[in-house]
Amino acid sequence: MSLFWYALWFVVAVGLLVTVHEFGHFYVARRLGFRVLRFSVGFGKPLVKWSAGADATEYVIAAVPLGGYVKLLDEREGPVEPEDLPRSFTRRPHWQRVAVLLAGPASNILFAVLLLWGMFWVNGVSEVRPVVGDVITGSVAAAAGLKNGDEIRAVNGSEVQGIRDVVFDLLDAMSARGEADLSVHGKDGAARDARLVVADAEARRHLTEPSELLRGLGFQFWPPVPAVLGQVVAGGPAARAGLAAGDEIVSVDGAPIANFHDIIARISDRPGEHVSIEYRRGGVTRSAEVAVASDDVAGKRVGRIHVMQQPPANRTYPASMLLHTELGAGAALSRAADEAGSMTLLQARLFWRMVLGRVSLKNLSGPLSIAEFAGDSAQAGVAAFLGFLVLISLSLGFLNLLPIPILDGGQIAFQLIEWLKGSPLSERTQAFGQQLGIALLIVLMGVALYNDLARQFG
């Protein structure tokens, strides 16, 4: 897939979601009587500009479509005519200022709810039954008594509907205390309990790294992920040997490969060695010699060839493995609100645990990864791209609520403190807060960009 394709859908996604965010600020400010000077979609040189309304608000479409802003009348930024002072930001009641600041993140969350509502109403909800596939001998899952064919019905007392519910609940449990009580039904239909326990804190943190949860617990879901490469990291061992996305792995050193888990099992024990991989591309079987990388994983050398499995959107499942529910308008809206709320709360818990060092920083994604996800989801179809927009919109809403001074959450904190103390914060305090906020954002962006580059170049 071309770089242009990734860049295009990245711009579409970010431009749309930032516009939704800024429209939230704009709409509530107008409704509450603030004077809005400018509403800009994008940054930089204006491409289109016009004024409208009684306040002659300036509307701008700018050259760089990766952001936007709403400019309100504010006497801190310049002289204000006496008749306009009551409509200045600093002269409005504190609750109205907080409402305007909250409106941006709230708009992103509401947008995600509306997208989910439409998707659920039109298509219903299809989920893959959480049936256990292969269980690795000696693993955490094996010690808990999980077996091939078990269907997971609940995690820590919370009922689950599909694979995604199980993964989210296990991630939540492992990043908390490292304990998960499962209610399962075996192949014979008999119900029993299984308890997953990971006592070591470092091992629990490792489980929170991307794609490591199920691998670290030692099981996968059925049907197994096909042995087809979904992504081959540029410059990695597989890419250097000529392997590409879409290749089906047939064997490793002559040992047949049935699914993606088999690839991991055959490669992980061979750090620093050379293996012969037979693969099928376009109906033609070929072979390649691959120099296996030796990666440090939780203090242990593990063999990797830097490939990823196919995304779920590209896989097909038998009808017997799918749970489909048709929803009316009301039920779809309720389901959408519940789902958006639970995902936002999970983000909050995981972010806090990341701050505490219990969740891996490798989960932070920067613009390169977001662009890649945007392009891949757009190629997978409308439903996949809308699902991507839901996740990014919820993330944007949540991140802007963090109490970092340069973000909406930080500005809300300033307003609440000012409201409680009965007087404005000093300019020195506000300036220090802004500088601290910028520093924190630079650190977060630096970690996210490092993770992007690590994923791209192994």
Side-chain angles (χ1 to χ4, degrees):
M1 194 183 301
S2 69
L3 180 62
F4 172 78
W5 176 268
Y6 287 124
L8 170 66
W9 289 105
F10 175 75
V11 168
V12 169
V14 172
L16 174 61
L17 297 180
V18 170
T19 299
V20 167
H21 181 95
E22 296 302 330
F23 180 78
H25 292 310
F26 168 80
Y27 179 78
V28 173
R30 286 282 298 270
R31 296 288 294 179
L32 292 177
F34 291 74
R35 181 169 181 182
V36 182
L37 301 179
R38 183 181 301 123
F39 179 17
S40 178
V41 176
F43 292 114
K45 181 179 179 181
L47 300 178
V48 181
K49 181 168 61 174
W50 71 95
S51 298
D55 292 334
T57 301
E58 188 177 60
Y59 298 89
V60 176
I61 299 177
V64 183
L66 297 179
Y69 63 94
V70 172
K71 182 176 177 62
L72 303 178
L73 184 68
D74 192 328
E75 60 190 300
R76 295 171 299 182
E77 299 181 2
V80 175
E81 296 295 331
E83 62 271 20
D84 283 336
L85 277 175
R87 302 183 64 196
S88 172
F89 182 84
T90 53
R91 299 297 181 98
R92 305 302 296 172
H94 285 90
W95 73 266
Q96 292 188 0
R97 300 183 217 172
V98 171
V100 170
L101 292 167
L102 274 174
S107 293
N108 283 123
I109 295 172
L110 177 60
F111 181 71
V113 171
L114 293 177
L115 280 182
L116 285 171
W117 181 30
M119 294 166 66
F120 292 163
W121 190 6
V122 172
N123 298 323
V125 178
S126 291
E127 297 175 281
V128 183
R129 291 170 54 200
V131 176
V132 175
D134 291 340
V135 178
I136 299 175
T137 302
S139 66
V140 173
L146 277 185
K147 299 176 182 178
N148 182 287
D150 286 345
E151 181 171 358
I152 301 173
R153 298 291 182 88
V155 178
N156 284 339
S158 176
E159 290 188 10
V160 295
Q161 300 297 319
I163 287 177
R164 193 188 63 166
D165 289 349
V166 175
V167 171
F168 283 174
D169 286 352
L170 286 179
L171 182 60
D172 193 15
M174 289 301 119
S175 63
R177 297 183 302 166
E179 300 175 356
D181 291 313
L182 310 182
S183 297
V184 302
H185 282 218
K187 288 181 178 180
D188 58 0
R192 69 179 197 284
D193 295 328
R195 184 176 177 82
L196 300 173
V197 179
V198 180
D200 182 69
E202 180 57 29
R204 293 200 301 268
R205 194 196 65 80
H206 177 62
L207 289 176
T208 68
E209 294 183 10
S211 304
E212 291 296 333
L213 179 64
L214 299 183
R215 184 187 306 172
L217 292 175
F219 78 98
Q220 63 175 332
F221 290 107
W222 193 97
V225 178
V228 177
L229 305 184
Q231 179 186 348
V232 177
V233 177
R240 292 197 301 268
L243 292 170
D247 288 346
E248 180 185 0
I249 306 302
V250 177
S251 68
V252 174
D253 277 346
I257 298 295
N259 52 61
F260 200 87
H261 173 74
D262 286 349
I263 302 175
I264 297 171
R266 296 290 178 187
I267 297 296
S268 60
D269 293 334
R270 308 284 295 277
E273 300 182 20
H274 285 73
V275 297
S276 176
I277 294 182
E278 190 176 20
Y279 63 97
R280 189 176 294 114
R281 179 188 299 171
V284 178
T285 301
R286 314 178 187 192
S287 63
E289 290 292 322
V290 181
V292 179
S294 179
D295 291 351
D296 186 347
V297 178
K300 179 182 177 182
R301 306 311 298 184
V302 175
R304 296 280 175 81
I305 58 174
H306 300 165
V307 297
M308 296 179 66
Q309 63 192 32
Q310 282 187 315
N314 292 355
R315 303 176 204 153
T316 57
Y317 298 93
S320 61
M321 287 298 298
L322 295 176
L323 299 172
H324 182 78
T325 306
E326 291 290 340
L327 299 174
L333 179 59
S334 177
R335 177 71 177 260
D338 287 346
E339 196 138 320
S342 63
M343 284 193 285
T344 301
L345 290 175
L346 179 60
Q347 281 188 89
R349 289 197 296 272
L350 294 180
F351 186 86
W352 177 241
R353 291 168 191 169
M354 190 181 296
V355 172
L356 297 177
R358 287 152 53 184
V359 170
S360 173
L361 289 172
K362 292 182 180 180
N363 290 286
L364 289 176
S365 295
L368 297 180
S369 292
I370 295 173
E372 186 175 348
F373 297 149
D376 288 344
S377 64
Q379 187 179 44
V382 174
F385 186 67
L386 292 180
F388 164 78
L389 287 180
V390 167
L391 293 176
I392 298 300
S393 193
L394 289 174
S395 296
L396 186 60
F398 166 72
L399 289 174
N400 270 280
L401 288 173
L402 293 177
I404 297 175
I406 199 172
L407 300 178
D408 293 327
Q411 295 303 311
I412 291 170
F414 279 171
Q415 294 301 323
L416 292 176
I417 293 171
E418 182 177 314
W419 194 359
L420 290 172
K421 72 189 289 284
S423 61
L425 293 170
S426 68
E427 291 186 7
R428 182 179 179 182
T429 299
Q430 293 189 51
F432 175 76
Q434 295 287 350
Q435 292 167 359
L436 178 62
I438 291 172
L440 288 173
L441 280 184
I442 289 174
V443 171
L444 288 174
M445 292 171 64
V447 173
L449 183 58
Y450 173 82
N451 288 340
D452 279 0
L453 295 175
R455 292 186 188 108
Q456 292 297 320
F457 301 108

